[in-house]
Amino acid sequence: MRGSLPINRRTVFKLRQIGMATLGSVKINIFICGCVALTLLAVANRNRDGSSSLMGWTGDVALLDRSSSPGGRYAIVMNTWKRYDLLKKSISHYASCPRLESIHIVWSEPDPPSDSLKTFLNHVVQLNSRNGHQVELVFDVNKEDSLNNRFKEIKDLKTDAVFSIDDDVIFPCSSVEFAFTVWQSAPDAMVGYVPRMHWVDQTKGKDKYIYGGWWSVWWSGTYSMVLSKAAFFHKKYLKLYTDEMPASIKEFITRNRNCEDIAMSFLVANATGAPPIWVKGKIFEIGSTGISSLGGHSEKRTQCVNKFVAEFGRMPLESTSMKAVDSRNVWFW
C-alpha cells in the first residue's frame, strides 16, 4: 500500500494537469469563436446599412432625425474648375445622401456651364434623389476667377448648414450624415474632416507662426483648423466673409490662389473664440494631386498664417485635441 501511494499521487497530478490544459484549450476556442462571431455580426450590420457598397461611397443611412424641413437638412457648396468628369462623379454621389437639400456649384470659369453639362447633372440629381425629396441643383456663376467665390453669400439659401466640399473629394453619405449631426450639436463651429494646426515659431518670436500639415497633427495630437475642402459651417459665415473679411486678405488670396480655407478658419475662430471640431471619416480623393503636393506649399501656407495674423491684429485660432468618432462603426474609439 505504501509503495503504491506515490504512484497514485503522481497519476492524480498528471490527470489534473491534463484536465487544466484541456479546460484552457476549451476557453481559448470559445474566445476565438466569440471573436469570429462578433466580426461576422459587424460585417453583416455594415453590409445591411449599405456603407460598404461601391468603395463605401453610398448606402441608406439609419438616421435619428429624418426631418423634411430645411432646418433638418444641409446644402452642399462645391468648388470646381474644369474637371467635368470629377464634377459628374461627385454630384452623382452626393445627390443620394438622405438629408441633402440643395447643391450649389461654385462656377468661376471664363465660359458659362454648357447646356449639355447642366442637362446631364440635372438628370443625375433627379435620378439619385431619395426619400421622395428632390434635391435642387444651382450653378452660382461668377464673373471673376477667385478662390474667394466659394465663400460668397448665397441669398436664397434655405438651410442653415453648409457643407463646403471640393469636386475631387468624396465621403460616404453615412460619414457626411454623422458630421452633420455633430454640427447640429455645435452650429457655430466649423466641423470637418481635414485638420491642420499652427504653432509659435520660436526662432522668430511669439508673434510669428508656422503652419502645420497632417503629419504635424498626427505627431502632436492637436489641431486648430479644419479645411473647407470638406467642412460644415453655418451659412452666416458666408455673409460674414463676403461683408467683413478685409479686402487686403481677399486680394492676397486671389493673387496667390491659395489660403482661402485658412482665412475662413480665422474668421470663424475670431467670431466664436473656440476651436473647430475634427470628425473622423474615410476620404476618397478621386482627382490628381493638388497644390498641396507642390514644392514650398507649407512655406506659402505659413506666409498666409502670418499675413492673416497681422490683418486680424491677433492670432484667433484655438487648438484642441478633441475628435468626433462614430462609435457605431468602430470597435476601439
Side-chain angles (χ1 to χ4, degrees):
M1 294 290 293
R2 291 181 180 177
S4 63
L5 186 59
I7 297 174
N8 291 337
R9 287 179 177 174
R10 286 196 296 271
T11 302
V12 170
F13 179 72
K14 288 182 178 180
L15 290 173
R16 185 178 298 174
Q17 282 185 316
I18 293 172
M20 291 175 66
T22 302
L23 181 61
S25 176
V26 170
K27 288 181 177 179
I28 292 173
N29 288 334
I30 292 174
F31 175 75
I32 292 173
C33 290
C35 290
V36 172
L38 287 173
T39 301
L40 293 175
L41 181 62
V43 171
N45 285 335
R46 181 163 296 186
N47 287 335
R48 188 166 61 243
D49 71 12
S51 60
S52 61
S53 62
L54 187 57
M55 296 179 66
W57 291 359
T58 60
D60 293 327
V61 184
L63 301 173
L64 295 177
D65 176 19
R66 290 189 177 274
S67 171
S68 60
S69 67
R73 294 181 174 274
Y74 60 91
I76 282 180
V77 176
M78 182 177 294
N79 199 49
T80 188
W81 177 262
K82 294 186 177 181
R83 299 191 291 190
Y84 307 137
D85 289 342
L86 301 185
L87 181 63
K88 291 176 181 178
K89 287 182 181 179
S90 293
I91 297 298
S92 177
H93 165 67
Y94 287 114
S96 66
C97 292
R99 289 194 283 177
L100 177 63
E101 175 69 21
S102 59
I103 301 175
H104 297 257
I105 300 174
V106 181
W107 191 271
S108 301
E109 297 181 20
D111 298 320
S114 65
D115 290 338
S116 60
L117 179 63
K118 288 192 289 186
T119 300
F120 177 88
L121 293 180
N122 275 295
H123 175 70
V124 164
V125 169
Q126 184 178 5
L127 190 65
N128 290 339
S129 295
R130 296 188 176 189
N131 302 324
H133 178 79
Q134 184 60 51
V135 174
E136 181 185 11
L137 179 67
V138 180
F139 280 87
D140 294 331
V141 180
N142 298 278
K143 296 179 180 180
E144 180 189 15
D145 175 20
S146 171
L147 289 175
N148 294 300
N149 291 339
R150 73 182 306 164
F151 299 136
K152 276 188 175 180
E153 182 184 10
I154 302 174
K155 297 288 186 180
D156 57 347
L157 196 61
K158 297 177 182 178
T159 66
D160 288 336
V162 171
F163 183 41
S164 175
I165 191 82
D166 284 351
D167 61 0
D168 63 344
V169 178
I170 285 183
F171 291 90
C173 287
S174 55
S175 292
V176 178
E177 296 296 319
F178 175 67
F180 179 43
T181 302
V182 173
W183 177 85
Q184 287 180 307
S185 69
D188 287 333
M190 282 190 75
V191 176
Y193 300 94
V194 187
R196 296 294 184 262
M197 67 173 296
H198 77 284
W199 67 88
V200 175
D201 187 347
Q202 300 291 348
T203 64
K204 296 183 180 179
K206 64 178 182 178
D207 294 329
K208 296 296 182 181
Y209 299 89
I210 297 175
Y211 172 86
W214 162 246
W215 290 112
S216 299
V217 174
W218 179 84
W219 179 258
S220 66
T222 63
Y223 63 97
S224 56
M225 296 171 269
V226 291
L227 302 187
S228 57
K229 68 183 294 182
F232 277 95
F233 52 78
H234 198 284
K235 68 178 180 181
K236 63 186 178 183
Y237 295 124
L238 296 178
K239 178 175 176 56
L240 198 61
Y241 191 102
T242 301
D243 296 342
E244 303 296 335
M245 182 64 75
S248 57
I249 290 181
K250 291 182 182 178
E251 292 167 2
F252 179 88
I253 290 167
T254 299
R255 186 168 60 253
N256 291 276
R257 298 193 62 81
N258 204 337
C259 299
E260 84 288 354
D261 48 0
I262 297 178
M264 177 56 89
S265 289
F266 266 66
L267 182 142
V268 176
N270 190 62
T272 63
I277 301 175
W278 171 23
V279 176
K280 182 180 179 181
K282 192 171 185 180
I283 182 173
F284 297 94
E285 299 203 39
I286 60 175
S288 58
T289 55
I291 60 174
S292 60
S293 63
L294 301 177
H297 177 68
S298 293
E299 290 76 10
K300 291 177 182 178
R301 305 280 275 183
T302 292
Q303 181 186 2
C304 292
V305 169
N306 287 298
K307 167 71 174 177
F308 299 164
V309 167
E311 293 289 345
F312 275 75
R314 68 187 189 95
M315 167 52 79
L317 299 177
E318 297 287 342
S319 297
T320 182
S321 57
M322 182 179 70
K323 178 169 67 172
V325 178
D326 188 348
S327 60
R328 297 169 298 177
N329 295 328
V330 294
W331 286 13
F332 303 103
W333 53 281

